[in-house]
Amino acid sequence: LNRRERKLWNQVRTNSGVLMAIAIPGVSKSATFRTIADKMEMQYIDLRTSTMDETDLGAFPTVSERTINNKLMKVVDQTVPAWAIKANEKPTLIHFEELNRCSSNVRSAALGILLERVIGAEFKFNNNVFMVASGNPVTEHDMDVEEFGSALRNRLIPINFTLSLDEWKDGYADENVLPEVIGFLTSHPEYFGNTQAQAERYIDMEDNFTQYPSPRSWTFLSDYIKAYDLAEDRNDAFIDVETLKGYVGDKPAIAFAQHMAEVFKVSATDILNGVNSIESINSTQAQRILQEFQDGYELSELKTKQIERWSEFVETLSDTLKAGHISTIIDKCVAADAKSMRVYKKFLIPFNDIRLLLIDALEA
């Protein structure tokens, strides 16, 4: 677990009180607790209480017969749901989501389980079953959320659940979200949408369908653009403002499209033909140019001057981008082709520190 996850886990694993994570929708509450469970090799059970009724939580009477004082009597008890039995089979983290957004009957049933760790008179959760709850803050924009009374709040452990841009990038986005989206948010963190104040800035009170930015909505936007296989279609998707608005809202979508239009001003073709200065290219532009080159060009088919220009451009990149691109270039080399070998060696000339090692690898 990272530092943030350890802090949350330490509050959960004591089984003393119930952690109640409060945050606006879309800031990875579920994803964070699921990650903790995965890292701890625990089963994760997600109970979305706003879509449940009390019978889903075991508040459903059943009648059985028991012999009491030599007399057969009918007894009323509660049904034990399948998820509860499943939880007792192995170490488990149960997440009761949207606890302040569900009906009062469901909330009462959920709180009975959270605070007493039992269902009915017979079923008790094992000590290796852990529980956490989450909900949304009460705001004038969200009338479905209910406040808890002081007695109830004192039995829970409410925390203001936060997710910084750096935590999102390090814990999730760097491996799952397009670098163009990460690059935009890094330079424009005001559009990240990880706080109530940021989200409310973009909510239109006159339009119930208005969208607002959040870590979740930026991830959805990234997944949508990744669905395009052709680079040309993907480039169009990056600046399709009307579609982008449906993911992150009007102002963030416009700002993102404008940012991407700037990124597209310099292309791989421009670099190869010496049209633009490579000194003014930022990291996001560089990643786009590399992807365009890898999708549309073969090094062995370039002219000598173009190879020199491309080598000069790659030499200006960060170590991470440079290493990744050179590895991609090497993978495409056909060692049996003498002409191809000469081209690849020419490309590697500027990289004196690793050139000999790479040439050895090529020849091998």
Side-chain angles (χ1 to χ4, degrees), residues 140-193:
E140 60 180 307
H141 305 295
D142 198 340
M143 307 306 293
D144 293 333
V145 178
E146 294 188 21
E147 292 190 57
F148 287 168
S150 57
L152 180 55
R153 285 201 302 269
N154 194 242
R155 303 181 75 179
L156 301 170
I157 306 170
I159 65 164
N160 181 28
F161 184 94
T162 59
L163 179 72
S164 71
L165 180 58
D166 286 340
E167 289 169 338
W168 181 66
K169 289 193 294 187
D170 294 341
Y172 176 79
D174 281 343
E175 295 182 1
N176 299 282
V177 176
L178 286 171
E180 291 86 353
V181 174
I182 297 174
F184 168 73
L185 293 173
T186 299
S187 57
H188 298 85
E190 68 273 17
Y191 293 119
F192 183 42

Side-chain angles (χ1 to χ4, degrees), residues 99-342:
L99 192 60
N100 57 355
R101 194 182 285 275
C102 59
S103 69
S104 58
N105 288 341
V106 171
R107 184 162 56 250
S108 297
L111 287 169
I113 295 171
L114 284 163
L115 300 174
E116 305 298 334
R117 296 178 57 82
V118 298
I119 297 177
E122 300 292 332
F123 185 87
K124 181 176 177 61
F125 287 96
N126 295 336
N127 290 332
N128 61 359
V129 174
F130 304 90
M131 301 181 188
V132 64
S134 64
N136 305 130
V138 179
T139 71
E140 60 180 307
H141 305 295
D142 198 340
M143 307 306 293
D144 293 333
V145 178
E146 294 188 21
E147 292 190 57
F148 287 168
S150 57
L152 180 55
R153 285 201 302 269
N154 194 242
R155 303 181 75 179
L156 301 170
I157 306 170
I159 65 164
N160 181 28
F161 184 94
T162 59
L163 179 72
S164 71
L165 180 58
D166 286 340
E167 289 169 338
W168 181 66
K169 289 193 294 187
D170 294 341
Y172 176 79
D174 281 343
E175 295 182 1
N176 299 282
V177 176
L178 286 171
E180 291 86 353
V181 174
I182 297 174
F184 168 73
L185 293 173
T186 299
S187 57
H188 298 85
E190 68 273 17
Y191 293 119
F192 183 42
N194 62 329
T195 66
Q196 183 176 328
Q198 274 195 1
E200 291 184 347
R201 188 181 305 163
Y202 306 109
I203 293 176
D204 184 353
M205 290 294 291
E206 303 300 321
D207 182 0
N208 290 332
F209 288 98
T210 185
Q211 187 54 274
Y212 61 91
S214 70
R216 177 167 59 199
S217 62
W218 284 111
T219 301
F220 287 168
L221 183 149
S222 172
D223 290 342
Y224 156 67
I225 295 175
K226 282 192 291 186
Y228 286 97
D229 296 323
L230 298 178
E232 182 180 355
D233 292 341
R234 183 176 287 196
N235 290 351
D236 289 342
F238 273 119
I239 56 176
D240 180 3
V241 174
E242 291 306 312
T243 301
L244 298 176
K245 286 179 180 179
Y247 287 90
V248 295
D250 291 4
K251 291 182 180 178
I254 293 170
F256 179 70
Q258 291 173 340
H259 171 84
M260 292 308 302
E262 285 294 318
V263 170
F264 292 146
K265 278 186 176 181
V266 183
S267 68
T269 304
D270 293 336
I271 300 298
L272 294 170
N273 295 334
V275 175
N276 287 83
S277 171
I278 59 177
E279 285 77 16
S280 61
I281 296 173
N282 60 39
S283 176
T284 304
Q285 287 175 314
Q287 292 179 71
R288 290 292 307 157
I289 292 168
L290 290 176
Q291 188 62 54
E292 181 188 344
F293 181 88
Q294 289 162 194
D295 289 344
Y297 290 93
E298 290 291 340
L299 193 69
S300 58
E301 298 175 359
L302 299 180
K303 298 176 182 178
T304 299
K305 194 61 179 177
Q306 289 178 318
I307 294 172
E308 292 175 359
R309 289 176 183 143
W310 191 251
S311 293
E312 290 171 2
F313 165 65
V314 174
E315 196 176 12
T316 66
L317 303 178
S318 68
D319 290 343
T320 300
L321 288 179
K322 185 189 303 181
H325 182 61
I326 291 175
S327 296
T328 301
I329 293 293
I330 298 302
D331 287 343
K332 289 187 176 183
C333 177
V334 181
D337 185 343
K339 178 185 175 182
S340 177
M341 282 291 292
R342 287 196 299 272

